Amino acid sequence: MNRTDRLYAIVEELRAVAPRPRSASWLADRFEVSRRTIERDIGALQQTGVPVWAEPGRTGGYCLDRARTLPPVNFSPDEAVAVAVALGGLAGTPFAGGGATALRKILAAMRDDDETAAHELAARVHLLGAPPQAAPVPAALADAISARRVLRLRYTDRAGTATTRDVEPLGFVGSSTAWYLLAWCRLRDGIRAFRLDRVDRVTATSERAPRRTVRPEDVQVPEGDLRTLTLLD
């Protein structure tokens, strides 16, 4: 690890445990350098304005004021390509548009040489075949949860019966075969899961949807048990 990478890594390590301290000895062991090197690195960070200070005492060490710093938005070429490959599976889901926007932001935040390297690496990644393409998800459906608007759906159920319903969006459910909009159905006066590819027409009304709590056991979908997505392990 070169010095620039180590300086970034020290800041991120201190940010992760803030406001608790990390001792110079602990940091030296973590980055496999001498304690004196860590002390010089901390001095360099302080000179550039990073809010790091020394906490005295037996359990003291170096602390970072995370409220006064922002994490660096640095992606390596490998990380950018990994995200691009993962986002390839979003086609036909409510998150396809957000995924494309996120990838553009990642590339815009990269250094020019890293972005070039990412494009060169991506050109060496080859995919055999493609997953089945689902129909594009209308914007009103994709934004249903964050917009919190009551939706008017024209929906065809698995028996082929078409109905028009006003629903209060509650979430999305993804299975191995389809994506569903989880919503409170005012026609049925209960929670229902609507397959996105069976929504024939959708209109976002001006009515704000009330907040409702949904438990996994309240949801019935054709296959498997539900698990809730978490962003951190």
Side-chain angles (χ1 to χ4, degrees), residues 129-146:
Q133 291 296 303
V137 177
L141 274 179
D143 299 337
I145 308 306
S146 56

Side-chain angles (χ1 to χ4, degrees), residues 74-206:
N74 289 331
F75 290 88
S76 70
D78 284 349
E79 290 169 336
V81 172
V83 170
V85 171
L87 292 179
L90 292 182
T93 77
F95 311 104
T101 301
L103 183 56
R104 286 195 294 270
K105 289 181 178 179
I106 288 172
L107 294 173
M110 295 174 71
R111 297 195 307 259
D112 289 345
D113 55 342
D114 281 344
E115 182 182 357
T116 299
H119 285 293
E120 292 175 351
L121 177 59
R124 297 195 295 271
V125 177
H126 308 286
L127 304 175
L128 182 62
Q133 291 296 303
V137 177
L141 274 179
D143 299 337
I145 308 306
S146 56
R148 286 190 55 216
R149 298 291 180 186
V150 174
L151 300 180
R152 184 157 296 143
L153 306 181
R154 179 174 171 80
Y155 184 73
T156 302
D157 64 20
R158 56 184 159 181
T161 303
T163 54
T164 298
R165 315 172 184 221
D166 284 358
V167 304
E168 302 167 12
L170 300 173
F172 291 109
V173 176
S175 76
S176 61
T177 58
W179 276 85
Y180 299 81
L181 172 69
L182 189 65
W184 180 271
C185 177
R186 292 180 175 178
L187 179 65
R188 305 301 186 204
D189 195 27
I191 296 174
R192 295 293 186 271
F194 300 94
R195 270 186 66 139
L196 299 188
D197 57 0
R198 291 189 186 140
V199 176
D200 302 318
R201 187 169 63 245
V202 57
T203 303
T205 72
S206 60

